[in-house]
């Protein structure tokens, strides 16, 4: 009886092994057949993958095919200008206190009432990218790399991308299953895996990043821009450490990580190649104009601030990256779907460095846009501002005829009294063929300066180096330097504010609020518009409550969706959901 059982078990095992081999071969072929290769638009640095059914040996035993598979790992990078919703999706900023998206079809409206089910989780996308990275790692030995230099570059990119995708998972959900080259799973496999701790996930990502940093090139040839570099891996390491050091995770980590976070950011800031700094703030001496232009210039155009970005072809007005954000009304032609809140506008200092409600600021409630931080005018479109040869009319009266051209009503136009200017190239206009580089930036040097300042302040208080790092960022845009004599807590608050302004709409505020336990304060409760009424030759300005949002502390982590819980019975839901 025992022998019969062993024989049957052996046959079953052989059958499963054969089925798994077929599945792997089929999945590899499908990967090659379905390569979207979103980066093929990136000039000439990618070759298309073959379009026929190939076995595993042919896929990885021919360098051109292996390179095609490798390129496809990049396809899971997301362009986050319009990350949430359908028809006209909008950025995560519209679920934070930065902005509002008034139409109901925007996914951020669900987030704003506390419904996170399946919104922005992207688990399948990121784990699929991780699976592809793991598969490539297992085939390293059979890929005929043309040189050790090329091998190091490609393997470094794989380790970086695996860490990048996993960080996207972890910052949403906390500790999640670690998928390595030793446990590659396919969509129809048994997905019952327990969640790893947050600390285990951080340690795993740091291990991958150390491997990547050791072998990735510091600089690239122009036809390879958009690929990962040593600097990209260093930037991700600095961000992972900053998050792990933050209050959200301090108790789970076994050590205080502020010093390591500061050192990681400083190492990137000081990174050199042939004696010259690899990264510099984009500054041509034009102040806030430089701040505006840095988002439209790639490295080949002299912008050394950008560390890693999604490399795509230039876009015109009809692309959703522009048209969804662009103002509505007049001849501007946009959807006007991303509308800054008054809460966000109030975060911009006066030109003298004081907050608007601070004594001596000079703020005039009936002339609210005068003498503000220079970055304000490059970030927000406000009433009476000139944009694309039109004066913004954002006043609202009781009839559409008496309302401004760009705020006829509050249902289809801006709900807040503002539109976004940041990320909108003024030369890319409605009904014109004009195009501009318009790439989503994952890491830029200004963030690293602010990361360094934050970590250093938490470690040693407001030292000279903290002031210097922040003032470099402010000075680039022509803004006044920080006041001296700040306490650690005062500096902390100013760093929060500096990040909110400098990194606005770049998806930092959404995560900063969570890692610092500030999201209930910043994202929950009242959101304000600016009620602007035309009165004779002038205007009256009145901040007005337009919405009470829902945010609870347990929302600092996303819920695992029901569909994912059904796939993996070992998943434990995050608390509160």
């Amino acid at each position: 009886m025992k022998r019969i059982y062993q024989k049957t078990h052996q046959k079953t095992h052989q059958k499963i092994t054969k089925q798994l081999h077929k599945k792997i071969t089929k999945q590899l072929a499908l990967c090659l057949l379905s390569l979207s290769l979103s980066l093929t638009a990136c000039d000439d640095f990618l070759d298309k993958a073959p379009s026929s059914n190939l076995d595993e040996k042919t896929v990885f035993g021919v360098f051109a095919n292996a390179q095609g598979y490798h390129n496809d790992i990049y396809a899971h990078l997301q362009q986050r200008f319009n990350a949430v919703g359908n028809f006209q999706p909008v950025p995560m900023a519209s679920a934070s206190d930065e902005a509002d998206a008034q139409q109901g079809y925007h996914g951020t409206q669900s987030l704003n009432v506390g419904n996170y089910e399946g919104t922005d989780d992207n688990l399948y996308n990121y784990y699929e990218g991780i699976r592809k990275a793991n598969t490539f790692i297992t085939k390293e030995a059979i890929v005929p790399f043309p040189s050790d230099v090329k091998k190091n570059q490609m393997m470094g990119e794989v380790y970086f991308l695996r860490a990048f995708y996993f960080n996207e998972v972890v910052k949403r959900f906390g500790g999640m299953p670690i998928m390595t080259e030793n446990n590659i799973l396919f969509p129809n496999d048994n997905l019952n895996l327990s969640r790893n701790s947050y600390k285990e996930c951080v340690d795993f990502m740091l291990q991958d990043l150390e491997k990547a940093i050791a072998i990735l090139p510091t600089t690239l040839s122009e036809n390879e821009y958009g690929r990962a570099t040593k600097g990209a891996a260093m930037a991700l390491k600095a961000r992972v450490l900053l998050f792990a050091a933050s209050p959200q995770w301090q108790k789970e980590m076994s050590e205080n990580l502020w010093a390591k976070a500061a050192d990681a950011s400083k190492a990137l800031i000081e990174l050199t190649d042939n004696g010259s700094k690899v990264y510099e703030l984009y500054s041509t001496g034009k102040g806030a104009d430089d701040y505006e232009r840095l988002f439209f210039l790639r490295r080949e155009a002299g912008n050394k601030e950008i560390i890693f970005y999604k490399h795509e072809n230039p876009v015109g007005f009809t692309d959703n990256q522009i048209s969804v954000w662009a103002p509505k009304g007049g001849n501007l032609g946009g959807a006007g779907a991303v509308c800054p809140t008054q809460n966000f506008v109030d975060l911009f200092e006066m030109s003298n460095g004081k907050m608007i409600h601070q004594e001596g600021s000079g703020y005039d409630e009936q002339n609210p846009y005068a003498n503000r931080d220079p970055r304000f005018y490059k970030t927000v479109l406000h009433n009476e501002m000139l944009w694309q040869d039109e004066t913004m009319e954002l006043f609202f009266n009781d009839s559409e005829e008496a309302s401004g051209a760009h705020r006829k009503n509050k249902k289809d136009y801006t709900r807040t009294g503002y539109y976004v200017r940041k990320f909108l190239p003024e030369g890319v206009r409605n009904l014109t063929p004009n195009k501009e580089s318009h790439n989503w930036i994952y890491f830029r040097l200004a963030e690293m300066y602010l990361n360094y300042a934050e970590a250093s302040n938490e470690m040693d208080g407001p030292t000279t180096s903290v002031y210097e790092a922040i003032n470099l960022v402010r000075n680039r845009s022509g803004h006044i330097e920080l006041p001296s004599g700040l306490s650690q807590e005062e500096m902390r608050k100013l760093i929060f504010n500096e990040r909110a302004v400098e990194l606005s709409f770049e998806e930092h505020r959404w995560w900063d609020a969570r890692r610092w336990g500030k999201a209930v304060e910043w994202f929950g409760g009242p959101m304000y518009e600016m009620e602007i009424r035309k009165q004779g030759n002038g205007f009256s300005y009145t901040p007005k409550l337009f919405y009470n949002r829902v945010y609870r502390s347990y929302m600092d982590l996303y819920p695992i969706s029901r569909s994912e819980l059904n796939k993996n019975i070992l998943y434990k839901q995050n608390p509160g959901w």
Side-chain angles (χ1 to χ4, degrees):
M1 189 71 178
K2 186 177 180 181
R3 284 197 300 270
I4 294 173
Y5 171 80
Q6 288 175 334
K7 207 169 192 179
T8 304
H9 181 74
Q10 186 177 19
K11 286 183 179 179
T12 302
H13 178 73
Q14 290 172 344
K15 183 179 180 181
I16 291 173
T17 302
K18 185 178 290 188
Q19 288 175 341
L20 184 59
H21 177 74
K22 286 182 178 179
K23 183 186 289 186
I24 291 173
T25 302
K26 182 180 179 182
Q27 289 289 344
L28 290 172
L30 286 173
C31 284
L32 289 170
L33 286 170
S34 65
L35 291 181
S36 61
L37 292 179
S38 62
L39 294 174
T40 52
C42 310
D43 305 321
D44 59 350
F45 85 62
L46 296 181
D47 296 320
K48 290 184 178 180
S51 58
S52 59
N53 290 325
L54 301 172
D55 61 29
E56 183 177 333
K57 184 177 180 181
T58 305
V59 170
F60 294 102
V62 176
F63 180 69
N65 296 345
Q67 191 173 33
Y69 186 96
H70 178 274
N71 291 338
D72 191 46
I73 303 172
Y74 278 90
H76 297 272
L77 292 173
Q78 293 186 332
Q79 175 271 98
R80 302 285 294 180
F81 288 108
N82 298 325
V84 189
N86 51 55
F87 180 49
Q88 286 180 340
V90 293
M92 296 305 299
S94 294
S96 76
D97 59 348
E98 293 172 287
D100 185 69
Q102 70 273 25
Q103 285 89 355
Y105 49 75
H106 294 311
T108 52
Q109 290 290 358
S110 295
L111 298 175
N112 291 337
V113 296
N115 181 8
Y116 281 61
E117 175 69 23
T119 303
D120 189 52
D121 56 15
N122 298 306
L123 266 178
Y124 179 83
N125 176 64
Y126 292 128
Y127 268 123
E128 177 68 2
I130 291 168
R131 185 188 66 76
K132 290 177 183 178
N134 287 335
T135 299
F136 195 87
I137 291 170
T138 65
K139 308 306 173 188
E140 176 184 356
I142 65 172
V143 176
F145 296 100
S147 67
D148 287 342
V149 171
K150 190 64 176 178
K151 176 181 177 180
N152 285 340
Q153 179 182 2
M154 292 177 69
M155 295 308 300
E157 290 174 25
V158 171
Y159 285 115
F160 165 78
L161 289 170
R162 183 166 74 171
F164 183 96
Y165 294 143
F166 196 43
N167 185 55
E168 292 298 312
V169 172
V170 170
K171 73 183 184 183
R172 285 166 168 78
F173 300 96
M176 290 290 279
I178 295 174
M179 304 293 294
T180 73
E181 62 272 25
N182 298 318
N183 61 348
I184 303 172
L185 295 179
F186 293 99
N188 296 321
D189 289 344
N190 180 1
L191 302 179
N192 292 319
L193 294 173
S194 298
R195 298 177 66 173
N196 290 87
S197 70
Y198 179 82
K199 184 182 184 307
E200 289 170 337
C201 294
V202 168
D203 291 342
F204 174 70
M205 290 186 287
L206 293 177
Q207 288 169 11
D208 267 3
L209 292 171
E210 291 300 341
K211 293 175 186 176
I213 291 168
I215 57 179
L216 279 171
T218 304
T219 57
L220 298 170
S221 58
E222 188 172 319
N223 69 341
E224 290 189 308
Y225 285 165
R227 290 192 178 279
T229 60
K230 187 186 299 291
M234 293 172 72
L236 181 54
K237 175 184 175 182
R239 190 184 290 177
V240 167
L241 285 167
L242 187 78
F243 275 54
S246 299
Q248 184 181 21
W249 298 110
Q250 279 177 348
K251 291 181 180 179
E252 187 162 335
M253 303 308 295
S254 58
E255 61 178 315
N256 186 321
L257 292 174
W258 288 121
K260 287 186 176 181
D263 289 344
S265 297
K266 185 178 181 181
L268 176 58
I269 291 168
E270 296 180 344
L271 182 66
T272 60
D273 186 49
N274 294 323
S276 298
K277 281 197 171 184
V278 177
Y279 304 106
E280 297 175 353
L281 293 176
Y282 179 71
S283 180
T284 66
K286 295 181 180 179
D289 286 344
D290 289 333
Y291 177 74
E292 179 177 36
R293 287 298 300 162
L294 80 88
F295 300 103
F296 313 126
L297 298 176
R298 301 201 295 218
R299 195 170 181 90
E300 59 265 37
N303 186 358
K304 295 175 68 175
E305 180 166 343
I306 309 304
I307 300 168
F308 187 57
Y309 62 98
K310 187 166 175 56
H311 192 102
E312 297 178 311
N313 281 338
V315 299
F317 186 87
T318 56
D319 193 286
N320 278 351
Q321 296 179 31
I322 303 293
S323 61
V324 169
W325 290 60
K328 186 172 185 173
N331 297 312
L332 300 178
V338 188
C339 307
T341 66
Q342 189 62 45
N343 307 52
F344 171 65
V345 169
D346 286 348
L347 296 178
F348 285 87
E349 296 173 349
M350 300 297 289
S351 58
N352 61 12
K354 293 182 180 292
M355 301 301 293
I356 62 170
H357 300 303
Q358 194 173 348
E359 185 178 353
S361 70
Y363 179 69
D364 182 350
E365 292 181 351
Q366 293 308 311
N367 189 17
Y369 312 129
N371 303 317
R372 303 296 287 270
D373 178 335
R375 290 169 292 189
F376 171 71
Y377 306 105
K378 304 300 184 180
T379 305
V380 177
L381 292 171
H382 62 77
N383 190 48
E384 292 195 285
M385 189 176 194
L386 186 66
W387 172 253
Q388 294 189 346
D389 301 323
E390 289 191 30
T391 298
M392 300 301 298
E393 295 182 354
L394 294 169
F395 54 90
F396 175 79
N397 284 326
D398 295 330
S399 68
E400 292 195 4
E401 293 75 17
S403 296
H406 309 101
R407 201 183 187 188
K408 289 290 186 185
N409 59 62
K410 295 184 181 180
K411 179 181 178 183
D412 302 313
Y413 292 75
T414 172
R415 185 65 184 79
T416 66
Y418 302 101
Y419 291 111
V420 175
R421 176 170 178 167
K422 187 173 180 176
F423 299 144
L424 293 181
E426 190 164 3
V428 177
R429 305 187 177 199
N430 185 30
L431 303 178
T432 72
N434 301 347
K435 293 186 176 183
E436 188 94 64
S437 292
H438 193 256
N439 305 122
W440 182 259
I441 299 168
Y442 303 108
F443 304 106
R444 62 183 177 97
L445 188 61
E447 180 205 343
M448 295 300 119
Y449 276 116
L450 296 180
N451 290 356
Y452 171 75
E454 178 185 335
S456 296
N457 184 58
E458 294 306 315
M459 182 175 58
D460 296 322
T463 62
T464 300
S465 63
V466 172
Y467 276 93
E468 289 176 348
I470 299 172
N471 285 334
L472 280 169
V473 174
R474 290 162 71 95
N475 289 344
R476 181 267 298 281
S477 296
H479 193 33
I480 194 170
E481 293 188 348
L482 292 174
S484 60
L486 297 172
S487 68
Q488 184 183 47
E489 176 60 23
E490 288 170 334
M491 179 62 81
R492 181 183 296 130
K493 289 180 179 178
L494 278 172
I495 289 172
F496 288 163
N497 210 75
E498 189 64 25
R499 291 180 69 89
V501 169
E502 174 69 25
L503 305 176
S504 60
F505 300 100
E506 297 177 52
E507 216 169 90
H508 288 277
R509 182 82 166 169
W510 184 248
W511 304 112
D512 284 350
R514 287 170 158 75
R515 65 187 180 84
W516 271 100
K518 292 288 186 179
V520 172
E521 175 187 343
W522 294 348
F523 302 163
M527 293 291 143
Y528 291 91
E529 64 172 304
M530 180 62 89
E531 182 86 317
I532 308 166
R533 300 276 181 174
K534 189 171 180 61
Q535 296 181 335
N537 295 325
F539 300 92
S540 66
Y541 293 90
T542 308
K544 181 180 178 182
L545 171 69
F546 75 89
Y547 193 43
N548 275 302
R549 290 185 180 171
V550 175
Y551 195 97
R552 305 288 183 264
S553 59
Y554 63 82
M555 296 174 186
D556 287 348
L557 292 178
Y558 286 16
I560 299 174
S561 68
R562 292 183 184 88
S563 61
E564 292 297 330
L565 289 172
N566 291 337
K567 294 176 188 175
N568 183 355
I569 62 174
L570 296 182
Y571 267 150
K572 289 185 178 180
Q573 182 60 280
N574 280 325
W577 294 101

